[in-house]
Amino acid sequence: MTLPTPMPATTHTSAAPFASPSAAHAPTTLRAWVCHDYGGAEVLELQTRPCPTPGPRDVLVRVLAASVSSADVRIRTQNLPRGFGLLGRLAFGLARPRQPVLGTDVAGVVEAVGREVQGFQPGDAVLGVAGVAMGCHAEYCVLPATKPLVHKPARLSFVEAASLPFGGLAALHFLNKAQVRAGERVLVIGASGAVGSAMVQLARHRGALVTGVCSAGNVALVLALGAHDVVDYTAQDFTQTAQRWDVIADTVGASSFATCLASLNEHGRYLSVAGSLVELLARPRGTRRSIGGPAPERVQDLQMLVDLARAGALQPVVDRTYPFTDLPAAHAYVETGRKRGAVVVAWPEP
């Protein structure tokens, strides 16, 4: 299925083959945005730091694009879903971030590889996921070769590639866990966001009948992504209608299993993508159940997303692209909660 481009994603295009630098010429320093405290975007500071050295099984990537996701904002602000406050501090640092350089997803060019790395060489254009290790909001980052790291297809720009993992991996995980099948009715709350826009497309690709929930200004986008129907939440409450769905996916934490229960068919599944600890622990109600928890980062899932994007079945949705030097502005925009799809920071391509 070839989808129309819902909005201009980026002015960047895939570059010609890159030169192949050797590990001996890897940089010694880099610029990185450091989150030195919890708080607003003003806690981010651009610093010069030592460049990490790749180990035997690591890949050093020269970053050309990196997403700024809602996860980055949650970590910086510690504004986490209800019930995860203490757990968040234990995971990310009690007084300040234990890993001060945020950023989970990256697209760029391999600068150097460890001696045991196979399948990648300097000059390769790649797309990778650092996950909770983060570190992508810098000019260079190190990714273990065991992390999700794949070759970037020429069809995708670096900005488009960097926009895929955060939303796509979560959407794919939850659709798989719910075993969504062709013909099932799926409601996606937050259908214009990073996870929601991917879930609409991936569910439609499976043959599901998709209803998106979004604001009036995003109706055209969600329909262009493949939704069969759209509910404008500012004008209508879907829980007050007679419609029922086999799967309700809340990608933004705007509902609960309890409030959606009556809108689920028998054997219905509620997907708590960004829910509270209560939602994570929710018990089944008859044949209806709630599905939550973190999405694993697997190389085969990232490759599947790339293959679907290469085939035109998954359209990257990029709201705004900021220069690397304006990363705090990107954080501030994501924090408004009004972004459509992904927000990406980019470096000039060679």
Side-chain angles (χ1 to χ4, degrees):
M1 176 180 63
T2 300
L3 297 173
T5 302
M7 59 189 305
T10 174
T11 57
H12 291 67
T13 57
S14 295
F18 294 88
S20 300
S22 67
H25 293 93
T28 57
T29 62
L30 56 75
R31 291 183 302 163
W33 282 98
V34 175
C35 183
H36 57 78
D37 202 353
Y38 294 124
E42 69 278 358
V43 302
L44 297 165
E45 180 182 357
L46 187 59
Q47 294 182 358
T48 298
R49 298 167 64 89
C51 186
T53 301
R57 300 178 182 178
D58 295 335
V59 176
L60 178 66
V61 177
R62 175 159 50 99
V63 181
L64 291 178
S67 69
V68 179
S69 68
S70 57
D72 294 313
V73 170
R74 290 192 191 106
I75 293 169
R76 171 176 56 77
T77 62
Q78 283 299 289
N79 184 15
L80 303 172
R82 191 187 322 176
F84 288 101
L86 178 58
L87 294 175
R89 293 279 179 154
L90 291 173
F92 300 113
L94 291 175
R96 61 183 58 85
R98 188 176 294 113
Q99 163 53 290
V101 180
L102 307 180
T104 60
D105 310 310
V106 61
V109 178
V110 175
E111 185 79 5
V113 299
R115 63 178 180 273
E116 297 180 21
V117 172
Q118 298 181 352
F120 298 98
Q121 61 184 1
D124 286 351
V126 294
L127 163 63
V129 178
V132 295
M134 298 180 285
C136 296
H137 291 168
E139 292 178 310
Y140 296 87
C141 70
V142 165
L143 293 176
T146 54
K147 284 278 189 181
L149 182 67
V150 301
H151 291 92
K152 182 188 77 66
R155 177 189 177 103
L156 296 180
S157 71
F158 287 99
V159 166
E160 289 171 327
S163 76
L164 282 180
F166 178 76
L169 289 175
L172 185 62
H173 165 72
F174 277 93
L175 290 172
N176 286 341
K177 201 166 182 181
Q179 298 180 317
V180 173
R181 302 179 298 276
E184 289 197 301
R185 292 168 53 82
V186 176
L187 179 84
V188 180
I189 304 171
S192 60
V195 179
S197 61
M199 189 166 286
V200 167
Q201 296 180 76
L202 293 173
R204 175 64 184 265
H205 183 69
R206 293 181 179 214
L209 303 174
V210 182
T211 299
V213 179
C214 62
S215 64
N218 291 322
V219 168
L221 167 65
V222 174
L223 288 173
L225 294 174
H228 297 80
D229 190 21
V230 178
V231 175
D232 172 8
Y233 69 82
T234 66
Q236 185 180 30
D237 182 351
F238 72 87
T239 65
Q240 300 304 308
T241 70
Q243 295 187 64
R244 299 291 181 269
W245 291 270
D246 300 297
V247 175
I248 295 177
D250 185 353
T251 69
V252 291
S255 66
S256 68
F257 181 40
T259 59
C260 293
L261 194 61
S263 299
L264 282 169
N265 288 326
E266 289 296 323
H267 304 285
R269 291 87 78 199
Y270 174 79
L271 308 184
S272 180
V273 180
S276 67
L277 185 59
V278 171
E279 298 305 319
L280 180 62
L281 301 176
R283 298 174 63 84
R285 304 286 186 89
T287 63
R288 302 173 182 91
R289 59 194 174 98
S290 176
I291 298 173
E297 296 148 354
R298 306 191 306 169
V299 65
Q300 59 265 41
D301 290 342
L302 183 59
Q303 187 63 59
M304 179 178 289
L305 295 178
V306 168
D307 291 343
L308 289 171
R310 182 190 289 112
L314 178 61
Q315 172 65 51
V317 180
V318 180
D319 187 336
R320 298 185 183 185
T321 303
Y322 290 82
F324 172 62
T325 51
D326 288 345
L327 182 137
H331 263 257
Y333 179 60
V334 174
E335 196 170 350
T336 68
R338 295 194 294 268
K339 72 178 178 67
R340 309 202 307 173
V343 170
V344 178
V345 291
W347 289 249
E349 293 183 17

